[in-house]
Amino acid sequence: MKGTKGCKQLLCSFFFCCLAVELFAQEQKWEELFNQMVEMEDEDVAWEVMYEELCDLEQNPVNLNVADKGDLERVPFLTDEQIEDILYYIYCYGPMKSKGELLFIESLDYFRRKLLYHFITIEEPKNERKKSFAEMVAKGKNTLTGELKVPLYEHEGDKNGYLGYGYKHSIRYEKSYGTRLKMGIVAAQDAGEPFFSYPNKMGYDYYSPYLLLKGDGLLETLAIGRYRWSVGMGLVSGNSFSLGKMAMVTSLGRSTTGIRAYTSRSEADYYQGSAAALRLSKSWKMTAFVSYRAWDATLNDDSTAATMITTGYHRTAGEIAKKNNMHEWSVGADIQWYTGKYWLGTTAMVSQLDRILQPNSAVAYRKFYPQGQNFFNMSLYYGYRTYLFELKGETAIDKNRALATVNSFSLAAGRNIRLLMVQRFYSYRYAALHAHGFGNNSKTQNESGLMVGMDWCFLPKWKCLAYADWAYYPWHRALARGNSYDFDCQANLIYEAKPWSLQTKYKAIMRQRNVENKPLPMNHWWHKWSARATMSVNDAWKWTIQTDVVRDASELSWGWMAHMVLERNWQNGLLNLSGGYFNTDDYNSRIYIYEKGLRYSFSYPMFYGEGIRYALMAKMEVLKNVQMTAKIGVSNYFDRSFIGSSLQMIKHSSKADVELQAQWKF
């Protein structure tokens, strides 16, 4: 790597010196609680975007005493019933005095209540005059965060291929005033990308500015810059994060809706321009947006676009040639009527590309991928809610009248048990550039299915989450010719009572795939089991041990991993040491493990082969309102002499990364 030897030694010395300093950092204890409710091994979910959203919510918690329905909808694991119950409690009994009053809201179970504590605050409402934009900017809170990741190894691309150096770094600045104002910018650079050189003469490869204003009159929300807009159940525009099937069960099918500032470092799903939500009356709301943004794209020989690329990597001459070579205009509007029990809305959206999108339709599974230059989608979404059950859904069409529909039904079968059923039908001809409906496919097309789930607190400290999902694909897929089926099911059993937290999980997956010399797709089965035990001592010491086992029944391969975490918490601080041994027969029996990471940094690494993984992380406050975080993570493989392939190859059996982060609040 270009001139990094001295820097590596300096960074390592700094890291280990940090461990000798008294720690004063506020730790994100919600991560492990949230990890129990989601499926991190689902690779189609934008986990980094999801994680950054939750970190932002923790930094700017919701004040329950002044929150409206839109504020509470920012919390992704709350159900519609729980949101309504919280608002109704405050309406009946006035402002809450402490978080302990959440105990009186019966629909909030122990686990969700414990998780909610990290994203809310209880403050007395202030009867002060409405502040102007200039006053909010002047009195708002500022947060500046810088992050650096230094690999203590070389990729092949660092020697010949990548045009930049091997560091990854980012800067994030935000000014906020309660929930009424959020404005800032995110600048990020992936390892290998040029910095202050061609084509990034302005420094970073990625910039994301945003401004979000919330009012209490006609103008409910205004977004300028980069933003997300999600409506209905995602069949027209659903670019807010989706948390997978198990989280769908915990939220009873609620999808996040509305306008959100885009604060992520991901270069995939966002709009760029302006969006506004108007509160026309108590029951009527209207939203409109306009967007113009660039896309990375692979071009065909005739200058049409073969694929839209969302990785955001611009490290090589080939990747840079694909940068921003296609642009999209989008306009859309939504109008919604809502009462306490009923809601009905309609959405329309038009998108135009400056190049014709023409995927290689000679490949069977790409034949019905979105193609053309102009796209139109329109939907009707609807719902009805009572105390016992909720029915809602969305039905959409595209410009060719292809149909997509998704509908859910949830039932409170008892005080502590809730059932969910989700039906979906997405025509293989349905085309929408910004749709992210519930399902197994990354594209909202070519899928029909039915999922049933259960959320059951059968004892005060015991919880069972379970689902089963069947899916049918009428057209070809990448690994399955003709029509095919999928099935998966999962059951989680959770126990929480100090000093113990116990969880066991079993998941079975069946995917139909084509096998050589077989005319029809064959069933391919995986079985995954994990057990986790955590013991806490006076909230100061915490010890966790976890075992994961994976069985690929079709290839007759096994994988397992034993992982341990020792954590020491001070009044405002943390020191975390983790380590584990893994042994899998192949990639199909790979293991995913949650690992504590830096704020805004997704950390859920995957392992296969044989080896060990260990990491050490510490936080401290070096000055008032200045927080430093340092982490080193090492992976040693026993079954190989190199890691990765092509430009990402490391000619060594181990790799280590140092990560540093500084955050200043002022």
Side-chain angles (χ1 to χ4, degrees):
M1 192 176 297
K2 308 174 182 69
T4 62
K5 184 175 180 180
C7 182
K8 292 176 186 177
Q9 295 174 349
L10 178 62
L11 289 171
C12 287
S13 299
F14 171 80
F15 175 82
F16 289 107
C17 286
C18 287
L19 302 185
V21 182
E22 185 176 359
L23 304 172
F24 294 98
Q26 180 62 37
E27 178 51 26
Q28 298 153 222
K29 299 177 182 178
W30 55 267
E31 291 184 28
E32 295 184 23
L33 295 170
F34 192 77
N35 183 40
Q36 297 173 351
M37 292 187 174
V38 297
E39 304 165 74
M40 292 293 190
E41 67 270 19
D42 188 343
E43 296 176 344
D44 291 330
V45 176
W47 290 116
E48 185 171 351
V49 177
M50 175 273 296
Y51 182 77
E52 290 181 358
E53 286 259 0
L54 289 173
C55 288
D56 179 72
L57 184 59
E58 184 197 27
Q59 292 277 76
N60 301 283
V62 176
N63 181 5
L64 289 189
N65 287 330
V66 297
D68 58 19
K69 185 172 183 289
D71 294 327
L72 291 177
E73 284 179 341
R74 292 175 59 204
V75 185
F77 50 83
L78 290 179
T79 68
D80 287 313
E81 176 192 5
Q82 290 162 347
I83 291 173
E84 293 290 341
D85 287 350
I86 292 172
L87 294 174
Y88 182 73
Y89 178 90
I90 295 173
Y91 173 78
C92 290
Y93 302 104
M96 291 185 179
K97 301 300 181 183
S98 70
K99 294 179 181 179
E101 288 191 58
L102 292 174
L103 286 165
F104 298 113
I105 299 175
E106 292 186 359
S107 60
L108 271 179
D109 59 78
Y110 170 82
F111 299 91
R112 240 173 300 233
R113 185 170 63 250
K114 187 176 178 182
L115 184 55
L116 183 60
Y117 288 162
H118 300 279
F119 301 105
I120 63 168
T121 183
I122 304 295
E123 298 176 8
E124 288 291 331
K126 298 178 181 179
N127 295 321
E128 57 182 18
R129 66 176 180 84
K130 186 177 179 180
K131 288 184 170 55
S132 66
F133 175 76
E135 288 176 313
M136 289 191 292
V137 171
K139 296 183 178 181
K141 298 178 180 179
N142 300 277
T143 304
L144 180 63
T145 306
E147 185 174 321
L148 172 67
K149 182 176 181 179
V150 180
L152 305 182
Y153 51 84
E154 283 187 321
H155 291 113
E156 284 298 294
D158 296 327
K159 303 174 184 176
N160 184 20
Y162 295 153
L163 301 180
Y165 45 75
Y167 309 136
K168 177 180 179 179
H169 53 95
S170 64
I171 296 177
R172 179 190 304 264
Y173 168 75
E174 181 173 287
K175 178 181 284 290
S176 62
Y177 186 85
T179 59
R180 292 190 57 198
L181 170 68
K182 178 188 291 188
M183 60 185 296
I185 187 169
V186 178
Q189 194 85 7
D190 288 314
E193 294 177 339
F195 187 58
F196 277 110
S197 61
Y198 180 83
N200 299 324
K201 294 182 179 180
M202 298 300 292
Y204 282 93
D205 178 75
Y206 171 79
Y207 290 97
S208 181
Y210 58 89
L211 167 65
L212 188 75
L213 280 170
K214 297 197 69 176
D216 51 10
L218 174 64
L219 181 62
E220 184 178 84
T221 308
L222 173 66
I224 298 174
R226 291 191 176 177
Y227 59 91
R228 293 196 191 93
W229 178 53
S230 184
V231 63
M233 299 186 75
L235 300 189
V236 173
S237 179
N239 53 24
S240 288
F241 57 79
S242 173
L243 303 180
K245 295 175 184 176
M246 190 57 75
M248 191 81 166
V249 173
T250 64
S251 65
L252 293 183
R254 185 178 72 83
S255 55
T256 54
T257 59
I259 301 169
R260 303 283 189 270
Y262 191 74
T263 61
S264 173
R265 291 169 292 188
S266 170
E267 300 183 34
D269 282 317
Y270 64 83
Y271 296 106
Q272 183 172 264
S274 181
L278 304 177
R279 176 63 65 181
L280 304 179
S281 69
K282 185 177 180 180
S283 299
W284 288 92
K285 177 181 175 180
M286 180 179 178
T287 303
F289 82 95
V290 61
S291 169
Y292 179 74
R293 62 157 296 178
W295 286 95
D296 293 0
T298 302
L299 302 184
N300 296 313
D301 293 337
D302 59 359
S303 295
T304 60
T307 57
M308 300 170 73
I309 303 171
T310 60
T311 60
Y313 289 133
H314 307 116
R315 303 163 298 186
T316 66
E319 290 175 345
I320 291 173
K322 301 173 184 178
K323 181 179 181 179
N324 296 344
N325 55 14
M326 184 169 69
H327 297 80
E328 176 196 5
W329 271 106
S330 296
V331 294
D334 164 70
I335 188 165
Q336 179 187 130
W337 172 75
Y338 174 83
T339 66
K341 291 185 178 181
Y342 304 90
W343 63 94
L344 182 67
T346 183
T347 302
M349 178 176 172
V350 177
S351 298
Q352 183 175 28
L353 304 174
D354 64 355
R355 293 183 187 270
I356 297 174
L357 184 59
Q358 188 59 60
N360 183 9
S361 57
V363 179
Y365 69 86
R366 294 177 179 166
K367 183 175 182 179
F368 295 104
Y369 275 17
Q371 53 189 287
Q373 204 164 359
N374 299 293
F375 298 85
F376 172 77
N377 298 92
M378 185 174 182
S379 77
L380 182 72
Y381 58 95
Y382 36 83
Y384 173 69
R385 179 189 305 122
T386 70
Y387 187 78
L388 293 178
F389 70 89
E390 180 179 84
L391 176 65
K392 63 182 178 182
E394 183 178 16
T395 300
I397 59 171
D398 65 7
K399 67 176 184 180
N400 297 316
R401 299 181 181 178
L403 180 71
T405 184
V406 57
N407 300 275
S408 72
F409 175 77
S410 59
L411 173 67
R415 179 177 177 181
N416 296 315
I417 183 169
R418 292 171 174 82
L419 306 176
L420 173 70
M421 180 171 67
V422 182
Q423 169 272 333
R424 62 196 183 272
F425 169 79
Y426 309 142
S427 168
Y428 57 83
R429 296 179 181 272
Y430 183 72
L433 294 181
H434 297 280
H436 293 284
F438 172 76
N440 290 341
N441 283 337
S442 57
K443 292 182 173 15
T444 306
Q445 64 174 183
N446 188 35
E447 182 175 349
S448 300
L450 178 67
M451 186 191 82
V452 294
M454 176 185 69
D455 183 344
W456 182 22
C457 292
F458 55 92
L459 289 172
K461 302 298 176 67
W462 288 86
K463 186 182 186 73
C464 179
L465 298 168
Y467 76 83
D469 182 61
W470 298 263
Y472 169 68
Y473 311 96
W475 189 251
H476 306 274
R477 292 188 294 157
L479 298 175
R481 296 187 300 271
N483 56 29
S484 58
Y485 296 85
D486 280 353
F487 170 78
D488 63 283
C489 63
Q490 181 173 322
N492 290 15
L493 183 63
I494 305 169
Y495 171 76
E496 288 271 357
K498 289 187 177 181
W500 289 100
S501 173
L502 307 175
Q503 179 185 15
T504 184
K505 176 174 69 175
Y506 169 75
K507 184 172 184 178
I509 305 171
M510 189 278 289
R511 301 282 186 259
Q512 287 198 327
R513 293 181 172 181
N514 277 101
V515 179
E516 192 174 353
N517 300 323
K518 298 287 184 179
L520 298 176
M522 305 296 292
N523 295 346
H524 196 132
W525 281 92
W526 289 267
H527 301 275
K528 301 180 180 182
W529 175 81
S530 69
R532 179 186 178 97
T534 299
M535 184 180 70
S536 301
V537 181
N538 299 325
D539 291 327
W541 290 93
K542 183 166 67 175
W543 175 70
T544 300
I545 185 168
Q546 179 172 335
T547 302
D548 290 79
V549 178
V550 175
R551 168 66 168 169
D552 182 346
S554 300
E555 299 294 334
L556 301 180
S557 66
W558 286 89
W560 68 277
M561 183 171 185
H563 188 247
M564 214 188 305
V565 181
L566 181 62
E567 187 170 287
R568 174 68 167 97
N569 287 279
W570 281 261
Q571 184 177 2
N572 293 308
L574 165 99
L575 180 66
N576 182 280
L577 173 65
S578 63
Y581 170 81
F582 57 91
N583 192 337
T584 79
D585 292 337
D586 52 30
Y587 179 78
N588 284 337
S589 52
R590 61 193 179 275
I591 302 285
Y592 292 83
I593 288 291
Y594 160 73
E595 185 175 283
K596 194 175 292 292
L598 309 184
R599 187 179 298 275
Y600 303 116
S601 295
F602 172 75
S603 185
Y604 213 89
M606 176 268 293
F607 304 100
Y608 72 95
E610 184 185 7
I612 57 174
R613 167 71 179 181
Y614 48 96
L616 182 63
M617 189 179 81
K619 292 188 178 183
M620 64 180 177
E621 191 170 282
V622 292
L623 296 171
K624 184 179 180 180
N625 296 326
V626 177
Q627 176 183 290
M628 295 291 296
T629 308
K631 176 182 176 180
I632 184 167
V634 182
S635 298
N636 290 329
Y637 292 87
F638 304 150
D639 62 339
R640 67 196 72 174
S641 57
F642 62 88
I643 303 170
S645 60
S646 189
L647 295 179
Q648 283 292 99
M649 181 184 293
I650 303 167
K651 290 187 175 180
H652 202 277
S653 61
S654 66
K655 64 175 184 176
D657 295 277
V658 172
E659 298 175 77
L660 300 172
Q661 185 180 78
Q663 186 172 84
W664 179 29
K665 295 182 179 181
F666 56 100

